[in-house]
Amino acid sequence: MQTLTGVGVCAGRVIGELVSMPAPVAEPAPGLALRDEAPEAAVARLQEAAAEVKAELKRRAEATTEKDAADVLKSTALMAGDKALLKNAAKLVTGQGLAPERALWEAATAYAEQMRSLGGYMAERAADIEDVRARLTARLLGVPMPGIPEREDPFVLTAEDLAPADTATLDPAKVLALVTSGGGPQSHTAILARNLGLPAIVAVRGVGELPDGTPVFVDGATGEVRTEPGADELALVEAWERSAAARGAFDGHGVLADGTEVPLLANVGTPDDARTAAGAGAQGVGLLRTEFCFLGRDQEPSVEEQVEQYTAIFEAFPARKVVVRTLDAGADKPLPFLTDTEEPNPALGVRGYRTDRSVPGVLARQLEAIARAEEATAAQVWVMAPMISAPSEARDFAAMVAAAGLRVPGVMVETPSAAVTADQILQHVDFVSLGTNDLTQYTMAADRMLGSLAELNNPWQPAVLRMVRLTVEGARRAEASGKGPRNVGVCGEAAADPALAVVLVGLGVHTLSMSPRALASVAAVLRSVDLPTAQALAELAVEQHSAEEASAAVRAQLPVLAELGL
């Protein structure tokens, strides 16, 4: 037996045969020239291929019920029809006489290299461009497009990493687990695996050397992959299945063993998401991603269109809290009518709340739509701005919220500056929500998409936990100054980790928001500890020297995790 380890990103235990992603589409020969085809006809064929790939991706987006998957497919579809990419490829056809497949390959490669050189979020877009390059090249050559292998029997899928469009289209009924040698804990692969409830491990060194058909045991909680599983591994899988059945559904009441209330909310992005979350027992919405109204559009949606969408979501949670994050455009979510794709470092550029400086009016109209939707429903609507870095920004946003007729303003804590000035920020707003994905990235100065930095880009990092503690302490100082209760929530992926959820509560966080699939597991573990225990475990985690040490130290004190297979 051989044991490989990586970063577990979604709990679950399975046994199955390993199947690798197929080899990528081969690069057309350098200098491949046109043969018996006029340049104009070749360009037309290139444009036709792009239109077909774009249409296919849009069709898949419309067919999927997973919001994040649909967003990824829509984004990839837009890139397939990118006018600049196609224009550059056409120039290589007409100007240098290259075959359209070679021209497309060269244009896309140059585009990808440009994005990768920028670093941060734009480096992530390079993988998307290369995915589109492969799809368009395959269509031009008349060969099968890349994608998830099709097998009759369920299997464990392995790859260096998956393109977002591939990850978005995998079928959980056929893919038992996902194991990648690259990627990070906050990558598209990891986030979509969590949303699908698919056991997943990233950054597993050596998994690519295992031949297809190798029987493996996968533990998405511990990050272990074992070859040639036997009776012990089968027993672990059976124990996981029993514990999952015993946990059942979330009963809609997040509470510690001593009765301390910890409301468990859901992250949603569409009306369908909201209805699913309500059905799963979520006590409200801790993060409504409003980008779904804007992505895939060349123009800003009207106020009326936004009102209709927000109303449908609010109606799913009558008399319950719905925290709305205003448009988080920029970086990995560029919008043609709002963001500048030429920024040298978009992760540190005009994104989130900052877009109101460059294109004023979009945010005000969105707040108007949110206010009108709140008036039409019984939901308790809270509104927060993303990418806040200074108390003055919180003050100005609170003024905009009040002008729109909304009552509860808040901000996201995603930057270290927001964490360390939380007391001043909370002089102006009523609550903050910790976006642990970006907070980890910015605190550790580590691109969250890179598997090579997975160790750093982990919310268990003691430095990140100290940022959470600073935020809570700031809220307490604001309360002591007479500002009234100041709520601190977490809406990043960290809240879906049952062990880390205990630590967050111990640090003083009031509410946790997560994928609906994580509610039952998090609730079960929280019910096993009282507040003093959670506080002691939080202090234990903060005192460690690495993310791995912090996680191991806490997990060792939570036997319920092993009992539940978490």
Side-chain angles (χ1 to χ4, degrees):
M1 176 184 291
Q2 182 179 2
T3 300
L4 307 178
T5 59
V7 179
V9 295
C10 188
R13 297 172 185 157
V14 300
I15 291 176
E17 289 190 356
L18 209 61
V19 175
S20 303
M21 283 286 289
V25 175
E27 176 182 354
L32 183 65
L34 286 169
R35 294 181 179 177
D36 302 323
E37 186 176 25
E40 294 76 13
V43 170
R45 189 159 61 87
L46 171 62
Q47 293 172 338
E48 182 181 354
E52 290 174 351
V53 171
K54 181 177 181 179
E56 171 64 14
L57 290 167
K58 289 182 68 176
R59 184 192 65 75
R60 292 188 183 184
E62 293 167 356
T64 183
T65 59
E66 291 287 340
K67 186 264 176 188
D68 286 340
D71 284 349
V72 168
L73 289 166
K74 288 177 183 177
S75 176
T76 307
L78 282 175
M79 199 167 292
D82 186 89
K83 293 180 180 178
L85 172 62
L86 296 177
K87 183 178 180 180
N88 289 340
K91 286 182 179 179
L92 293 174
V93 173
T94 58
Q96 299 184 22
L98 293 180
E101 56 268 28
R102 181 63 201 180
L104 183 280
W105 190 276
E106 290 190 9
T109 300
Y111 194 4
E113 289 175 352
Q114 179 186 10
M115 294 297 101
R116 191 169 281 114
S117 69
L118 296 176
Y121 282 104
M122 296 311 286
E124 173 194 345
R125 309 312 295 175
D128 299 348
I129 296 167
E130 289 166 348
D131 177 36
V132 166
R133 179 185 68 186
R135 293 173 185 277
L136 290 177
T137 301
R139 183 57 61 95
L140 286 165
L141 294 173
V143 300
M145 282 198 286
I148 305 296
E150 295 186 3
R151 299 291 180 98
E152 291 186 6
D153 297 325
F155 58 92
V156 174
L157 179 64
T158 183
E160 178 178 350
D161 201 3
L162 296 183
D166 289 331
T167 311
T169 55
L170 63 83
D171 181 1
K174 288 295 181 68
V175 179
L176 296 173
L178 183 59
V179 181
T180 65
S181 58
Q186 311 302 341
S187 64
H188 281 303
T189 298
I191 292 171
L192 285 172
R194 293 186 189 103
N195 288 342
L196 293 170
L198 190 68
I201 310 174
V202 299
V204 182
R205 293 181 180 177
V207 70
E209 299 172 9
L210 299 178
D212 277 15
T214 300
V216 293
F217 163 77
V218 176
D219 190 328
T222 65
E224 283 188 322
V225 178
R226 304 178 194 172
T227 62
E228 305 303 329
D232 290 345
E233 287 72 33
L234 180 59
L236 288 171
V237 171
E238 292 173 345
W240 161 261
E241 293 172 348
R242 288 195 300 271
S243 68
R247 283 196 302 276
F250 177 48
D251 65 4
H253 189 199
V255 63
L256 301 185
D258 58 7
T260 302
E261 298 280 345
V262 183
L264 301 184
L265 316 174
N267 298 338
V268 306
T270 66
D272 285 343
D273 286 351
R275 288 186 281 269
T276 297
Q283 293 175 260
V285 173
L287 172 63
L288 168 55
R289 306 181 185 94
T290 56
E291 292 77 44
F292 77 99
C293 281
F294 296 81
L295 291 175
R297 303 178 63 117
D298 294 327
Q299 296 181 333
E300 175 190 353
S302 68
V303 170
E304 287 70 24
E305 288 177 292
Q306 294 182 61
V307 170
E308 180 181 359
Q309 294 295 318
Y310 303 150
T311 298
I313 292 173
F314 296 170
E315 287 176 341
F317 289 92
R320 283 182 282 176
K321 180 167 71 173
V322 177
V323 181
V324 182
R325 182 181 70 188
T326 56
L327 181 59
D328 189 16
D332 62 335
K333 296 183 283 288
L335 294 173
F337 57 87
L338 189 60
T339 54
D340 178 9
T341 58
E342 300 300 319
E343 287 182 340
N345 194 342
L348 302 179
V350 181
R351 56 171 297 209
Y353 174 70
R354 300 172 181 178
T355 58
D356 192 58
R357 300 174 184 172
S358 55
V359 188
V362 176
L363 177 56
R365 288 186 287 274
Q366 183 179 27
L367 291 172
E368 176 190 348
I370 294 168
R372 285 173 52 181
E374 181 185 29
E375 291 176 1
T377 67
Q380 300 173 5
V381 177
W382 296 19
V383 187
M384 62 183 180
M387 201 59 180
I388 292 294
S389 298
S392 59
E393 293 177 329
R395 178 196 62 207
D396 295 345
F397 177 70
M400 294 183 71
V401 170
L406 293 159
R407 293 163 290 180
V408 188
V411 302
M412 293 283 289
V413 172
E414 300 166 287
T415 63
S417 64
V420 301
T421 61
D423 57 338
Q424 295 176 304
I425 285 174
L426 285 163
Q427 296 293 318
H428 305 292
V429 296
D430 296 332
F431 73 98
V432 295
S433 185
L434 289 142
T436 52
N437 301 356
D438 270 331
L439 183 60
T440 301
Q441 173 173 241
Y442 291 132
T443 298
M444 303 307 297
D447 189 329
R448 70 187 197 184
M449 308 310 298
L450 294 181
S452 58
L453 298 180
E455 178 183 352
L456 290 177
N457 208 331
N458 186 326
W460 278 98
Q461 283 288 349
V464 177
L465 299 180
R466 288 173 187 247
M467 287 294 173
V468 175
R469 185 167 65 182
L470 283 172
T471 303
V472 172
E473 290 171 350
R476 290 171 179 164
R477 287 196 297 274
E479 291 176 347
S481 71
K483 286 296 181 180
R486 290 294 186 260
N487 184 275
V488 178
V490 170
C491 62
E493 293 296 324
D497 180 337
L500 191 47
V502 172
V503 171
L504 295 172
V505 172
L507 289 171
V509 168
H510 303 108
T511 62
L512 301 171
S513 188
M514 62 203 72
S515 165
R517 290 181 181 272
L519 290 166
S521 296
V522 171
V525 175
L526 290 180
R527 288 195 186 100
S528 73
V529 299
D530 57 20
L531 184 57
T533 299
Q535 291 170 335
L537 291 175
E539 188 61 29
L540 177 65
V542 168
E543 291 174 351
Q544 303 306 308
H545 292 177
S546 71
E548 290 73 16
E549 292 174 7
S551 176
V554 171
R555 292 182 65 88
Q557 300 298 316
L558 290 172
V560 67
L561 295 171
E563 295 170 10
L564 297 176
L566 300 171

